Amino acid sequence: MSVVIVGGNERMERQYEDICSRYGWKAKVFTKENGTLKKKMGRPDLLILFTGTTSHKMVISAAQEAKRNNIPVERVHSSSAAALHGVMSAYAVGAGM
């Protein structure tokens, strides 16, 4: 399973990836907008938007791409490790893990 995380803190990118891998998910993290997101995003199983630490433009771009490809979106205001654990544990339970 794969997840794309948009937003968050740059210094926590590795921690986000480690948390996702503990749940058996492969993560791509985009904390800044470098070019078009839709070309880099791919087709993940889940999109997590850390809305408190990203630009409105980047949130809209990612959400539109998710809607176009029928990707579930989780919007989380906090970009903490605990918030990511909460989302990942909810999806791990939902996936039967």
Side-chain angles (χ1 to χ4, degrees), residues 35-53:
T36 57
L37 190 62
K38 70 179 183 179
K39 290 182 181 178
K40 298 175 187 175
M41 202 163 99
R43 289 284 197 118
D45 298 302
L46 175 65
L47 172 66
I48 299 174
L49 296 172
F50 287 139
T51 58
T53 54

Side-chain angles (χ1 to χ4, degrees), residues 12-95:
M12 289 184 63
E13 281 184 41
R14 183 69 194 158
Q15 192 174 357
Y16 296 149
E17 291 170 357
D18 290 343
I19 290 168
C20 292
S21 70
R22 282 188 221 145
Y23 289 94
W25 293 59
K26 185 172 168 42
K28 284 185 188 177
V29 182
F30 300 102
T31 55
K32 292 192 234 175
E33 188 167 9
N34 296 339
T36 57
L37 190 62
K38 70 179 183 179
K39 290 182 181 178
K40 298 175 187 175
M41 202 163 99
R43 289 284 197 118
D45 298 302
L46 175 65
L47 172 66
I48 299 174
L49 296 172
F50 287 139
T51 58
T53 54
T54 188
S55 70
H56 188 69
K57 178 183 173 188
M58 200 166 166
V59 168
I60 296 217
S61 171
Q64 285 176 343
E65 190 62 24
K67 186 175 182 180
R68 187 174 308 127
N69 293 313
N70 295 323
I71 300 167
V73 178
E74 279 293 322
R75 292 174 185 252
V76 184
H77 183 72
S78 172
S79 58
S80 67
L84 182 57
H85 271 294
V87 172
M88 294 308 296
S89 64
Y91 276 85
V93 169

